[in-house]
């Protein structure tokens, strides 16, 4: 079907998704190239002290490191597309099998943090607009900015000190395992999820506040005021629906951060997720693992941004209901 | 406030609305300086009986909108009501606090804004917004309110009254939205409606229909109204009485007939006699300065044709007025002549040379001799440059003038536009609307052009100020021998300034010739509609104009 023959909304969405896929391919090339130009040699790293020239040459041949780069790229890409992320050099285990439970752990933690952070940020943003420039607004902004400006490891250790060491309410180390009962699992991740919430809250809250305040300048807000509506109703019914696109964008960016940016938090709480896995294998120069994790992180970022774009398009009444 | 006052029984003897000694102030905060207090409205009192219409008239800054909104206890931006009383059915609504005001707004008093396109929430369907206040104030159930809204849509002459409520604001034309907004105001059956310039943003041919619809709706529902406008001809059609305001004070108040037929104050007389510029048309010379031949132009690579076979001439030192409603292609014609939009076919000859279609290919002399003045003077100037820099720029660019020579010429130009040397160091933000437009005129003149394209240059100005600009343009034409291509939708302006007229309709020139010929019957259908739609300061004009029409206007 020709692009121009579609309704504008379908055309725009198709464009965004196509661009996203294209971008993902470009990123995969970048990741592959980036890991190739890293200094050092994997076979050298594996063999360490026992490396003789023959052993090195054998290992390189076995790992396929002597093939030209583009062949190795397509071999890698073909594997990725069929769900085979390759074999970890250090442990000689299939990456996909090791990675999947860890990805699930990371997603679970991100999901828990998001279910608290996103509604909280939006509600706080709405309240800040309702009581703008007053005490409540300043308190909300002050709290949110403080929690964002503190580094996450600092908040993490602070929470551990109070809730795990002093009060002993929650565990300071978030050990989870397969088949763990749900409530125990929630207890284990309570602290890291809180840290993540505090880190992303301010950005979303400030953006919600700014986007709604921008809309509050519109003539139709005056119309609503002159109908006798209450402030909070005006914000909920007339301002928020028109501020939804920028809010969705910033929410998606923060969701991506929850998944991709958890490295530090996972290390602090010794949480078996993707971030910790990545850090471990970067130090071991395990290129296939770094590539696999990098690609997944990139896919998450691009995917969530596509969702944000598509949601913003759908939220626009002019595109949803053309003339 | 004490409940006893709120519950005072309705007093039949008192007026519906009574404003006593109203004083409204605003505080503006300039960066660095101390907060400044400005009095916007001072000592204004008025009374409005049930079912009557009071017109509030004055130029911008007269405080008319502010008074209108004060009747709902509302102050725009930093505006505060600092004195006086607003009595609605005998109760002072200002004493009721925010809670009390909310019960009045949208219930007893409703508001119709100037730009309905901006006043509707783009994310909600029209019906939701129309019935919102009726539901909020529990005047009606949803089903009742929707039924009432449909009846109002029908009364106001909207197409498909049963289904138009399901549309979104962007799916409906400007004239229709203005009527939907009137329906929205009437839906909760208020005692009073404040109309704030409801037809000002509309085309003249659309305005007349909306005006008639509003007038009928007011008469049939028996609602009282404050009708705010700067156009005396419009207010004369709908009001029972008129109050003239200036600088926040009342100038004159009386029955409509008295105000327009026997005004007492000088300011009112000036308003009534406005547009009395007599301009004798000049005889056409043989050789045109600008000759536009068979222009076809459009956007999207010709997918949308906006100009179809347009040919007009402008003669040296004379004025061609191009008149038509929005979408008729008048501004596109200006873009084609200036080279901003290369035409698909046709040719343009200017001062004996053929102009290249594209701006980038034109010589510096072509650029210099063809200048332009815009509708929005304030966005046509760099706000960070002084008047001296703005006017001096073309002198440097075209003539290489520097230093004293340049400054002397700038002073001369400021003199010509009747502003004087004191303005050289001012910034655009420090000037009034009329002064800004004068600076733009001086900037155009600085290039010593042969032709100036004036695109709706007086449309954004108050009538008296616009008059001053027109007189200035006529005087400058005599001194500098410059020709004008004057684009406007306003026929009074055309009569005041044109030597010849081209009437445009949907991308075609439907009538073209010397002014007296174009304005002498017999007319074609569109010119007739255009001429008969321009409001005149005369009682009963609206009814006669509607009766005598031969064709429907396009905006409906």
């Amino acid at each position: 079907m020709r692009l121009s023959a579609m309704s504008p909304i379908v055309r725009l969405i198709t464009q965004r998704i196509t661009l996203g896929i294209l971008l993902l391919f470009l990123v995969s090339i970048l990741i592959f190239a980036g890991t190739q130009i890293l200094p050092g040699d994997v076979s050298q790293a594996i063999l360490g002290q026992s490396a003789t020239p023959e052993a090195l040459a054998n290992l390189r041949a076995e790992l396929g490191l002597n093939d030209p780069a583009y062949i190795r790229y397509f071999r890698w890409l073909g594997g990725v597309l069929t769900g085979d992320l390759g074999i970890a050099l250090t442990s000689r285990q299939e990456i996909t099998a090791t990675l999947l439970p860890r990805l699930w752990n990371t997603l679970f933690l991100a999901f828990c943090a998001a279910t608290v952070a996103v509604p909280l940020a939006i509600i706080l943003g709405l309240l800040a607009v309702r009581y703008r420039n007053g005490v409540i607004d300043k308190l909300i902004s002050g709290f949110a900015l403080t929690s964002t400006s503190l580094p996450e490891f600092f908040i993490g250790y602070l929470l551990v000190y109070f809730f795990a060491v002093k009060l002993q309410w929650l565990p300071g180390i978030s050990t989870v395992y397969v088949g763990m009962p749900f409530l125990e699992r929630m207890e284990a991740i309570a602290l890291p999820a809180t840290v993540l919430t505090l880190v992303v809250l301010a950005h979303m809250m400030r953006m919600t506040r700014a986007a709604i305040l921008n809309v509050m300048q519109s003539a139709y807000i005056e119309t609503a005021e002159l109908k006798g509506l209450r402030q909070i109703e005006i914000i909920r019914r007339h301002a928020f629906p028109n501020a939804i696109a920028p809010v969705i964008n910033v929410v998606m960016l923060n969701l991506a951060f929850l998944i991709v940016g958890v490295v530090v938090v996972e290390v602090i709480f010794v949480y078996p997720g993707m971030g910790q896995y990545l850090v471990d294998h970067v130090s071991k120069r395990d290129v296939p693992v770094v590539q696999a994790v990098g690609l997944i992180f990139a896919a998450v970022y691009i995917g969530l941004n596509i969702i944000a774009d598509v949601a913003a398009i759908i939220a626009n009444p002019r595109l949803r209901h053309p003339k | 406030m004490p409940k006893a006052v709120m519950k005072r029984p309705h007093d039949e003897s008192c007026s519906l609305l009574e404003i006593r000694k109203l004083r409204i102030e605003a505080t503006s905060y300039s960066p660095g300086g101390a907060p400044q207090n400005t009095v916007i409205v001072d000592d204004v009192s008025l009374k409005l009986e049930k079912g009557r219409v009071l017109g509030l008239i004055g130029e911008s800054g007269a405080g008319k909108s502010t008074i209108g909104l004060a009747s709902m206890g509302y102050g725009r931006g930093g505006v505060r009501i600092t004195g006086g009383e607003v009595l609605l059915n005998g109760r002072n609504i200002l004493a009721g606090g925010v809670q009390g005001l909310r019960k009045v707004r949208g219930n007893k008093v409703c508001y119709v804004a100037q730009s309905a396109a901006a006043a509707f929430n783009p994310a909600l369907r029209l019906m939701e917004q129309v019935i919102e206040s009726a539901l909020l104030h529990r005047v009606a159930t949803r089903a009742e309110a929707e039924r009432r809204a449909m009846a109002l849509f029908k009364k106001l002459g909207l197409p498909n009254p049963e289904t138009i409520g399901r549309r979104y604001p962007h799916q409906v034309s400007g004239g229709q939205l203005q009527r939907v907004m009137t329906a929205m105001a009437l839906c909760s059956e208020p005692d009073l409606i404040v109309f704030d310039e409801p037809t000002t943003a509309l085309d003249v041919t659309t305005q007349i229909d909306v005006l008639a619809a509003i007038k009928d709706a007011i008469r049939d529902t028996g609602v009282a109204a404050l009708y705010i406008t700067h156009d005396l001809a419009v207010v004369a059609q709908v009001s029972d009485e008129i109050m003239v305001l200036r600088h926040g004070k009342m100038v004159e108040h009386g029955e409509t007939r008295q105000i327009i037929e026997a005004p007492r104050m000088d300011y009112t007389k000036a308003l009534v006699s406005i547009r009395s510029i007599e301009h004798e048309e000049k005889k056409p010379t043989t050789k045109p300065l600008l000759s536009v031949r068979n222009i076809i132009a459009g956007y999207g690579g010709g997918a949308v044709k906006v100009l179809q076979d347009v040919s007009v001439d402008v003669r040296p030192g004379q004025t061609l007025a191009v008149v038509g409603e929005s979408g008729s292609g008048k501004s596109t014609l200006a873009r084609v002549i200036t080279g901003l939009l290369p035409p698909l076919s046709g040719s343009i000859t200017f001062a004996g040379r053929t102009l290249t279609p594209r701006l980038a290919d034109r010589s510096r002399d072509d650029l210099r001799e063809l200048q332009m003045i815009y509708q929005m003077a304030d966005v046509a100037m760099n706000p960070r440059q002084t008047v001296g820099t703005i006017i001096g720029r073309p002198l440097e660019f075209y003539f290489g003038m520097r230093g004293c020579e340049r400054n002397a010429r700038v002073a001369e130009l400021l003199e010509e536009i009747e502003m004087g040397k004191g303005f050289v160091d001012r910034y655009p933000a420090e000037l009034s609307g009329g002064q800004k437009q004068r600076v733009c005129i001086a900037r155009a003149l600085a290039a010593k052009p042969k032709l100036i394209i004036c695109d709706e240059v007086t449309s954004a100005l108050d009538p008296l100020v616009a008059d001053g600009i027109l007189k200035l343009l006529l005087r400058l034409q005599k001194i500098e021998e410059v020709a004008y291509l004057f684009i406007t939708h306003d026929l009074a302006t055309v009569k005041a300034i044109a030597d010849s007229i081209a009437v445009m309709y949907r991308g075609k020139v439907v009538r073209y010739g010397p002014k007296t010929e174009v304005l002498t019957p017999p007319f074609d259908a569109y010119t007739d509609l255009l001429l008969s739609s321009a409001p005149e300061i005369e009682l009963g004009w609206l009814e006669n104009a509607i009766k005598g029409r031969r064709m429907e206007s396009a905006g409906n």
Side-chain angles (χ1 to χ4, degrees):
Chain A
M1 182 159 69
R2 278 183 58 232
L3 273 182
S4 56
M6 294 187 233
S7 78
I9 194 159
V10 176
R11 196 177 72 226
L12 276 171
I13 292 174
T14 321
Q15 269 174 4
R16 289 303 143 99
I17 293 174
T18 319
L19 277 176
I21 293 170
L22 198 69
L23 192 62
L24 201 53
F25 270 104
L26 291 177
V27 168
S28 74
I29 293 174
L30 212 62
I31 289 173
F32 187 80
T35 48
Q36 295 306 305
I37 55 174
L38 282 178
D41 182 82
V42 191
S43 29
Q44 182 89 52
I46 294 171
L47 293 173
Q49 293 295 333
S50 62
T52 60
E54 292 86 59
L56 272 178
N58 285 339
L59 189 60
R60 293 175 71 90
E62 188 192 333
L63 294 174
L65 292 177
N66 292 329
D67 291 335
Y70 71 93
I71 291 191
R72 279 178 286 138
Y73 170 71
F74 282 114
R75 196 174 340 151
W76 173 63
L77 191 66
V80 170
L81 291 178
T82 52
D84 173 18
L85 292 167
I87 289 169
L89 295 177
T90 43
S91 61
R92 297 300 179 100
Q93 281 172 344
E94 276 203 26
I95 297 175
T96 314
T98 332
L99 193 134
L100 274 182
R102 285 175 171 271
L103 179 61
W104 196 85
N105 283 345
T106 293
L107 289 178
F108 182 73
L109 178 60
F111 177 79
C112 290
T115 41
V116 179
V118 174
L120 190 64
I122 289 174
I123 290 169
L124 287 178
L126 292 174
L127 283 176
V129 174
R130 167 64 186 88
Y131 300 102
R132 56 189 168 278
N133 304 327
V135 181
I136 295 179
D137 180 21
K138 296 210 167 105
L139 276 178
I140 293 173
S141 288
F143 165 71
L145 284 178
T146 315
S147 74
T148 300
S149 37
L150 291 174
E152 56 219 75
F153 65 84
F154 183 75
I155 303 179
Y157 286 130
L158 213 62
L159 291 181
V160 169
Y161 178 75
F162 282 110
F163 293 102
V165 180
K166 286 279 165 190
L167 298 168
Q168 304 214 333
W169 288 352
L170 294 162
I173 290 179
S174 308
T175 320
V176 291
Y177 48 87
V178 181
M180 193 175 185
F182 181 74
L183 279 179
E184 272 179 49
R185 186 180 272 266
M186 291 303 281
E187 198 183 356
I189 66 157
L191 285 183
T194 310
V195 174
L196 285 175
T197 302
L198 288 174
V199 170
V200 296
L201 192 64
H203 190 197
M204 289 191 284
M205 190 287 281
R206 299 282 296 178
M207 203 54 208
T208 307
R209 180 182 182 275
I212 296 178
L213 275 184
N214 192 21
V215 172
M216 292 298 277
Q217 312 287 330
S218 315
Y220 54 83
I221 298 298
E222 186 180 281
T223 308
E225 275 184 84
L226 292 176
K227 281 177 177 172
L229 263 71
R230 289 168 55 217
Q231 271 288 313
I232 201 79
E233 278 296 292
I234 292 172
I235 295 168
R236 188 188 65 79
R237 212 173 131 76
H238 292 280
F240 187 62
N242 289 294
I244 199 99
V247 173
I248 291 176
N249 257 304
V250 76
V251 164
M252 287 303 164
L253 272 180
N254 280 288
L255 289 186
F257 175 82
L258 284 178
I259 297 164
V260 175
V262 290
V263 178
V264 177
V265 174
E266 285 186 3
V267 171
I268 292 171
F269 290 96
V270 204
Y271 184 74
M274 294 275 284
Q276 209 199 26
Y277 186 58
L278 175 68
V279 171
D280 279 355
H281 289 79
V282 166
S283 59
K284 290 180 196 158
R285 287 215 190 92
D286 197 332
V287 173
V289 174
V290 176
Q291 281 174 339
V293 176
L295 192 65
I296 287 171
F297 281 177
V300 165
Y301 243 111
I302 293 170
L304 286 173
N305 276 299
I306 290 177
I307 293 175
D309 280 355
V310 170
I313 292 169
I314 293 174
N316 184 343
R318 282 166 202 274
L319 292 172
R320 223 172 344 125
H321 306 276
K323 279 201 170 173
Chain B
M1 68 159 290
K3 281 228 164 70
V5 183
M6 283 296 286
K7 283 185 179 163
R8 199 162 71 188
H10 181 72
D11 182 359
E12 282 300 330
S13 67
C14 67
S15 308
L16 169 69
L17 174 74
E18 187 176 351
I19 293 179
R20 285 188 196 147
K21 295 194 176 303
L22 186 69
R23 184 181 172 86
I24 298 175
E25 291 173 66
T27 316
S28 57
Y29 302 89
S30 53
Q36 271 197 321
N37 224 34
T38 334
V39 178
I40 296 178
V41 173
D42 189 21
D43 194 22
V44 169
S45 302
L46 60 87
K47 261 187 189 183
L48 186 61
E49 306 298 332
K50 233 176 140 122
R52 298 268 290 174
V53 180
L54 169 66
L56 295 178
I57 180 157
E59 31 193 291
S60 48
K64 46 194 196 305
S65 289
T66 314
I67 295 173
L69 288 169
S71 71
M72 309 175 80
Y74 187 81
R76 217 174 245 165
V79 169
R80 300 179 319 275
I81 301 171
T82 51
E85 291 179 318
V86 177
L87 300 153
L88 193 72
N89 293 321
R91 287 194 300 249
N92 184 4
I93 59 165
L94 300 181
V98 183
Q99 293 258 330
L101 283 176
R102 274 212 305 270
K103 285 189 188 125
V104 172
R105 294 177 186 163
N107 185 14
K108 302 283 177 219
V109 190
C110 289
Y111 182 73
V112 177
Q114 171 170 2
S115 168
F120 275 105
N121 182 342
L124 288 179
R125 291 180 197 276
L126 290 173
M127 182 59 90
E128 279 303 307
Q129 306 189 53
V130 169
I131 63 171
E132 192 173 17
S133 38
L135 296 187
L136 175 75
H137 298 290
R138 296 174 205 281
V139 181
T141 64
R142 176 171 283 271
E144 279 166 17
E146 284 187 3
R147 223 173 14 249
R148 197 183 292 165
M150 284 175 197
L152 285 168
F153 292 156
K154 197 164 175 203
K155 171 183 281 301
L156 287 159
L158 283 161
N160 311 320
E162 285 81 28
T163 54
I164 195 166
R166 278 185 236 142
R167 302 186 142 243
Y168 282 84
H170 68 271
Q171 296 175 309
V172 175
S173 77
Q176 290 170 358
L177 267 187
Q178 208 68 49
R179 290 181 223 201
V180 175
M181 186 134 201
T182 307
M184 181 158 89
L186 284 164
C187 191
S188 53
E189 298 190 328
D191 298 333
L192 173 68
I193 297 185
V194 179
F195 289 96
D196 195 352
E197 305 254 14
T199 63
T200 307
L202 303 175
D203 268 315
V204 66
T205 49
T206 316
Q207 163 171 290
I208 182 169
D209 291 316
V210 175
L211 208 55
I214 288 177
K215 187 173 183 179
D216 286 349
I218 291 176
R219 190 193 53 223
D220 295 353
T221 53
V223 69
L226 283 178
Y227 198 99
I228 296 158
T229 176
H230 68 275
D231 191 342
L232 193 54
V234 165
V235 83
Q237 307 311 317
V238 289
S239 315
D240 301 309
E241 47 193 304
I242 293 176
M243 178 181 275
V244 183
L245 295 154
R246 191 183 198 193
H247 304 319
K249 292 197 171 71
M250 191 190 85
V251 175
E252 189 169 354
H253 180 194
E255 293 292 312
T256 302
R257 180 176 294 278
Q258 180 255 308
I259 294 284
I260 62 173
E261 287 174 4
R264 292 195 193 97
M265 309 302 287
D266 286 343
Y267 180 68
T268 317
K269 283 179 194 156
L271 282 180
V272 173
S273 65
I274 208 155
R275 281 155 187 191
S276 55
I277 301 173
E278 291 292 329
H279 175 65
E280 192 76 22
E281 87 177 49
K282 300 184 199 82
K283 290 279 158 281
T285 53
T286 42
K287 216 170 151 25
L289 168 70
L290 175 87
S291 183
V292 174
R293 282 287 160 270
N294 309 102
I295 289 288
I296 298 176
Y299 297 99
V304 189
K305 287 205 177 61
V306 186
L307 294 180
Q308 291 170 13
D309 200 20
V310 170
S311 302
V312 286
D313 288 330
V314 183
R315 314 208 174 256
Q318 298 198 3
T319 304
L320 168 71
V322 178
V323 55
E325 56 194 76
S326 46
S328 63
K330 9 184 237 309
S331 289
T332 305
L333 179 61
R335 286 171 59 86
V336 168
I337 295 171
T338 52
L340 288 168
L341 179 75
L344 300 167
S345 69
S347 68
I348 304 167
T349 329
F350 180 62
R353 330 184 271 272
T354 304
L355 285 181
T356 59
R358 277 159 39 84
L359 180 66
D361 304 333
R362 294 192 181 174
S363 72
R364 191 170 275 208
D365 260 354
D366 286 341
L367 301 181
R368 181 179 66 75
E369 291 181 347
L370 211 166
Q371 293 290 314
M372 197 153 173
I373 315 174
Y374 305 87
Q375 175 172 5
M376 297 292 182
D378 41 353
V379 293
M381 287 188 282
N382 185 338
R384 305 252 170 197
Q385 288 182 349
T386 60
V387 168
T389 318
I390 291 169
I391 301 178
R393 175 67 189 146
L395 298 175
E396 292 166 15
F397 181 74
Y398 291 119
F399 305 112
M401 286 190 192
R402 292 277 182 279
C404 293
E405 191 193 7
R406 189 197 77 138
N407 293 346
R409 179 75 184 126
V410 168
E412 225 175 277
L413 284 162
L414 278 173
E415 212 57 56
E416 276 191 32
I417 55 165
E418 297 154 3
M419 276 174 71
K421 279 201 290 286
F423 285 93
V424 169
D425 295 325
R426 300 271 197 101
Y427 286 93
E430 299 173 275
L431 305 178
S432 71
Q435 287 169 337
K436 283 179 201 164
Q437 199 55 281
R438 281 167 194 258
V439 172
C440 287
I441 293 172
R443 176 174 63 182
L445 279 180
K448 289 207 167 291
K450 290 191 169 135
L451 173 69
I452 300 180
I453 298 177
C454 305
D455 191 353
E456 303 267 13
V457 290
T458 56
S459 306
L461 301 172
D462 285 315
L464 286 176
V465 180
D467 246 27
I469 296 285
L470 291 181
K471 283 180 186 152
L472 174 70
L473 285 171
L474 285 171
R475 199 170 59 78
L476 291 172
Q477 186 165 53
K478 276 202 191 110
I479 304 171
E480 307 268 345
E481 286 279 301
V482 63
Y484 298 131
L485 189 131
F486 204 95
I487 294 168
T488 180
H489 67 273
D490 181 21
L491 278 156
T493 309
V494 172
K495 286 175 191 160
I497 198 163
D499 298 305
S500 47
I501 300 175
V503 180
M504 289 193 69
Y505 181 60
R506 295 187 178 168
K508 291 199 177 97
V509 175
V510 291
R511 196 173 170 90
Y512 172 59
K515 177 168 76 174
T516 39
E517 253 174 54
V518 168
L519 297 180
T520 309
F523 298 119
D524 59 289
Y526 180 68
T527 308
D528 183 57
L529 173 72
L530 203 60
L531 287 172
S532 64
S533 299
E536 280 164 35
I537 307 182
E538 179 189 303
L539 288 181
W541 165 84
L542 180 65
E543 287 72 17
N544 292 334
I546 296 267
K547 228 184 288 164
R549 285 203 307 187
R550 279 157 45 194
M551 99 186 234
E552 285 288 315
S553 70
N556 300 294

